[in-house]
Amino acid sequence: MHLRLLRPHARPLIQEAEAVLVERYRDLVRLAHLTLPAALGHHRRVLLAHSLVQRALPRARTKPGVPSVPHPREEVPSRQTAERRLIVEVLRAALAYERRSRCWSPRFALPAAFKTRLPLVIGLRLFPRSGGADELDFARRLSEVPAASRAACLLRSVHGLSEAAVHDLLEAAGVEDPAAAMRTADSLAAAQLAPTAALLSSQEFDACVLQAGPTDLLRRGRRIRLSLGAAAIGLAAATAVVVTAAGDTVRVPSAQARADHTAFSPAELVRTPAQAWDDTSRVDFTAWPPRGSRSHDDGLLGRALTTWAHPPAGTRVRLAPATTAAAPTTRPQLLYAGDVADRAVVLLYDGTRLARYSESRSSARTAELRVARTDDADLTTAAAVSLYSGKGSARYLLAPWISEVSIRDLLRPDVLARPLRTARDGVTRPVSVVSAGRGCESRPVLQLRSSARIVEKHSFLLADRGALSPAHLTYTPLPGKGGPPGRPREATGPAALLAWAHTACTLDSPGNAGVRSVNAWDFAEQSLPDRGGTAVWSCARADTWSGPGDVTVTLRTSRDVPAEPARTIARARSTAACSRFGQNVAATVGWRSPAGHWYVLAAGSRAVTRLSVSGDVSATKQGRTLDLPVSRRPRTQVRATVATGEQLHAFGSR
């Protein structure tokens, strides 16, 4: 008989590890939760994080590959050793979920309660409390980097460990390239304006402060009834191959490999469960459930699918810019089917495009098909879709995560938004829409608020610009003195609303369809001569779904009333200017003061250090703004020099 004896220091170390686990339980759960893949969903990640931490202690006693218990003669830093072993065990277990085969889909995996040990939760769904917009944006960025980088970011910022200590922990946990993971973590932290430690310490990433909600009660009942058919489904899957007379096997073609000329049937449509949106890290059109009174009308759905695959003669087909008319090659997802005004409408999604089929409800059945790109849609750009537009109004279908909806007039920033009634299926009442070139008396936009289950205190604006999905409006404020560069934020604050009041009507130009978002960036402020007040230089960038963006550079003064359109300085199409790839910009214009004197005005963004003027007048001035008196309306060219020595051609140069 062989007896396994613990070394003298083993039992004290295990007891110390138990004490450390209890004391640092919250930090360890936060580490596991952040390291686990976001694709698991909120509920699954929470349960797994607690399970992995609770199972770390028994593994820490005997797990090979972790430094063994020191010899009795060695000085034993038991607490530090125990804490290190626990962190390594939690990391190793959480990282294992990212190393799984790519073909494994968490959507079809067994519930966490049946895959792990305790804790076990049945009948409830748990998820951390939502943070703010910064936390939501940081969570999205974290989901795009490897798990090891997420762990390194937390260990460096929240745990306060040194670079060498984090490298050692990652290496012990089995990370192949700890240095690369740490470089990615450093880049991620450097890109954030808010302190990384404050973001990761917020309730958004705290899996110990939880909210509880019911599961999908209807789906739960269906699961019980369908469980009896599980064996039959397995048998059907096993017979998905056909044995030929020669003994060869030929796999039955799947819907994924269907030829473009074949239309899908209504039975093949993807129907997302109603509560999927608040238990997924992908908050976009894939989380929309099917809605509408005719979502089971196979006749209407069949006509919509056939029209998308083969538009019949007489069908009006409208494609957004850079959008293909090809039939879907994967099973489309049903978002809506119902009657809106005098038309029957079907809304479909194939993963990268929206297709809106509509037909008149009369016997003539005049049909229309609109297809638009929506790849990489997110919380805001997938928040609403136009179901109907005509006669100066539109009706929208709202995302299931929208909790409040109201209407705001951009030209009246001091007037509160008014509530907009919405039906139970998410369809709004008619909303006034002002077409380009129809005057500038009002510019109504949607003001939406996300559910607290997604992000707390998050409101944003959407503007109808003629596309299927309204454009997301954002705002970047004037650069602060000595502060970091600004970034786009929601256009709901007083400064943002004032900027948009002057900007809204300047964007009425042809070719607006296909716009994904528009950001109004106030890049410079300037004191005007002759007691002219102050001027704000702004660049409004309209980004399209296809990638290119158009910019409109404007100038407004403190003497302008809020609804007065800003003065348009220049426009440019398909440019990187005023984006994160073109953060340096300058502009110039001839301006007549209230006293009747002409001046050359010029200004640049925060990195501009010198402005040079040539033409009717020549001068060079250090700084970001310039005003030069001239005798008449000037014709000048302005070049700006930035801190790196790069030179820019100013917008508005003549």
Side-chain angles (χ1 to χ4, degrees):
M1 178 182 296
H2 296 280
L3 296 178
R4 184 183 179 194
L5 299 178
L6 291 176
R7 294 178 178 176
H9 279 282
R11 187 169 299 279
L13 185 58
I14 293 173
Q15 294 173 350
E16 186 68 34
E18 292 174 343
V20 170
L21 187 144
V22 173
E23 182 180 339
R24 300 296 302 275
Y25 184 80
R26 188 169 187 169
D27 292 334
L28 292 170
V29 170
R30 189 191 302 270
L31 175 62
H33 182 260
L34 187 72
T35 307
L36 287 168
L40 290 170
H42 296 302
H43 178 76
R44 226 174 255 127
R45 286 173 71 198
V46 166
L47 291 184
L48 276 173
H50 284 270
S51 177
L52 296 182
V53 172
Q54 293 174 17
R55 293 163 57 190
L57 186 61
R59 289 199 303 275
R61 299 178 184 178
T62 59
K63 189 74 176 180
V66 182
S68 60
V69 180
H71 190 272
R73 295 181 180 178
E74 298 176 0
E75 184 178 354
V76 183
S78 58
R79 181 177 181 81
Q80 292 85 342
T81 302
E83 184 172 348
R84 180 187 184 278
R85 289 164 67 99
L86 286 173
I87 291 176
V88 170
E89 290 300 326
V90 170
L91 274 178
R92 181 185 285 113
L95 289 169
Y97 281 83
E98 189 175 63
R99 300 189 189 108
R100 294 189 177 197
S101 172
R102 291 180 179 270
C103 64
W104 175 80
S105 172
R107 183 174 179 179
F108 301 104
L110 290 174
F114 297 97
K115 292 182 62 178
T116 64
R117 304 176 187 178
L118 296 177
L120 185 145
V121 177
I122 298 176
L124 283 177
R125 295 172 56 258
L126 304 177
F127 44 91
R129 294 182 178 274
S130 299
D134 289 341
E135 287 82 358
L136 180 68
D137 180 68
F138 193 40
R140 179 186 61 80
R141 293 174 183 270
L142 286 168
S143 67
E144 297 171 352
V145 302
S149 299
R150 296 195 296 270
C153 190
L154 180 72
L155 292 171
R156 289 291 305 276
S157 59
V158 178
H159 289 231
L161 299 181
S162 66
E163 183 176 343
V166 175
H167 185 284
D168 181 49
L169 288 171
L170 294 179
E171 189 174 41
V175 177
E176 295 181 358
D177 192 351
M182 295 179 65
R183 287 194 298 270
T184 303
D186 291 342
S187 300
L188 188 68
Q192 293 298 128
L193 293 182
T196 306
L199 292 174
L200 291 177
S201 299
S202 67
Q203 60 186 12
E204 175 79 24
F205 304 100
D206 191 347
C208 289
V209 180
L210 302 172
Q211 289 179 301
T215 58
D216 189 333
L217 301 178
L218 294 177
R219 187 164 42 144
R220 187 195 302 176
R222 288 197 298 269
R223 281 177 175 172
I224 295 175
R225 293 191 298 270
L226 291 175
S227 61
L228 298 177
I233 295 174
L235 180 62
T239 57
V241 293
V242 179
V243 181
T244 65
D248 299 328
T249 59
V250 180
R251 188 168 297 277
V252 175
S254 67
Q256 301 286 343
R258 181 178 306 218
D260 288 350
H261 63 275
T262 306
F264 288 92
S265 67
E268 295 175 295
L269 288 170
V270 175
R271 296 172 181 264
T272 300
Q275 296 300 320
W277 60 270
D278 68 345
D279 190 26
T280 177
S281 61
R282 184 176 176 181
V283 186
D284 57 15
F285 289 115
T286 60
W288 281 40
R291 288 173 288 176
S293 59
R294 302 182 67 175
S295 59
H296 294 282
D297 186 336
D298 287 351
L300 174 62
L301 298 177
R303 291 192 295 274
L305 291 166
T306 300
T307 301
W308 196 357
H310 293 294
T315 302
R316 184 184 180 188
V317 179
R318 300 174 60 186
L319 301 177
T323 303
T324 176
T329 57
T330 59
R331 295 165 54 199
Q333 178 182 342
L334 177 62
L335 306 184
Y336 180 84
D339 296 330
V340 183
D342 59 348
R343 300 187 70 81
V345 179
V346 176
L347 189 64
L348 302 169
Y349 176 65
D350 72 345
T352 59
R353 298 173 299 167
L354 282 176
R356 189 186 74 185
Y357 169 83
S358 66
E359 63 182 30
S360 61
R361 296 166 64 184
S362 64
S363 57
R365 279 187 182 165
T366 56
E368 178 185 84
L369 178 68
R370 293 192 63 177
V371 186
R373 288 182 60 170
T374 55
D375 37 327
D376 296 324
D378 56 21
L379 172 75
T380 56
T381 52
V385 175
S386 173
L387 290 182
Y388 170 84
S389 58
K391 300 179 181 178
S393 66
R395 299 183 69 179
Y396 304 94
L397 178 65
L398 303 180
W401 56 81
I402 298 301
S403 59
E404 295 180 19
V405 56
S406 53
I407 294 294
R408 171 181 289 281
D409 188 349
L410 284 181
L411 302 187
R412 294 163 177 80
D414 54 342
V415 177
L416 296 177
R418 64 182 189 278
L420 176 64
R421 291 179 57 189
T422 305
R424 295 185 62 183
D425 60 359
V427 180
T428 68
R429 301 283 292 176
V431 178
S432 297
V433 175
V434 180
S435 303
R438 296 287 184 89
C440 195
E441 288 75 28
S442 67
R443 284 296 179 271
V445 295
L446 293 174
Q447 180 167 307
L448 307 180
R449 179 180 291 274
S450 303
S451 168
R453 295 184 182 183
I454 299 295
V455 56
E456 288 187 348
K457 301 178 181 179
H458 179 230
S459 296
F460 54 96
L461 302 183
L462 298 180
D464 194 319
R465 295 173 63 84
L468 281 182
S469 52
H472 179 207
L473 302 185
T474 57
Y475 170 69
T476 303
L478 287 164
K481 296 181 179 179
R487 63 175 182 175
R489 59 193 64 184
E490 300 304 346
T492 53
L497 293 173
L498 180 61
W500 269 107
H502 292 287
T503 305
C505 292
T506 66
L507 301 180
D508 289 345
S509 60
N512 282 335
V515 173
R516 174 195 180 108
S517 61
V518 187
N519 179 55
W521 173 30
D522 289 343
F523 65 86
E525 186 176 33
Q526 180 176 14
S527 296
L528 297 174
D530 292 349
R531 298 182 179 180
T534 59
V536 175
W537 301 77
S538 184
C539 181
R541 178 179 175 84
D543 282 310
T544 62
W545 289 100
S546 58
D550 302 339
V551 301
T552 302
V553 180
T554 61
L555 176 75
R556 66 180 187 270
T557 72
S558 56
R559 302 171 68 93
D560 300 334
V561 298
E564 183 175 349
R567 178 176 177 179
T568 300
I569 305 301
R571 299 183 189 272
R573 298 181 63 84
S574 298
T575 177
C578 306
S579 72
R580 61 192 180 102
F581 301 109
Q583 299 182 23
N584 300 321
V585 64
T588 182
V589 70
W591 176 77
R592 194 170 189 176
S593 74
H597 303 144
W598 279 101
Y599 290 86
V600 175
L601 301 181
S605 52
R606 61 180 292 119
V608 170
T609 58
R610 185 171 67 247
L611 295 167
S612 301
V613 184
S614 61
D616 290 350
V617 62
S618 297
T620 298
K621 181 183 177 183
Q622 299 294 326
R624 295 177 50 222
T625 62
L626 173 149
D627 59 84
L628 291 175
V630 290
S631 58
R632 62 183 185 279
R633 182 187 297 270
R635 295 183 63 87
T636 56
Q637 296 80 40
V638 174
R639 298 193 69 82
T641 304
V642 299
T644 60
E646 177 190 2
Q647 290 197 335
L648 308 172
H649 183 73
F651 284 106
S653 294
R654 303 174 61 189

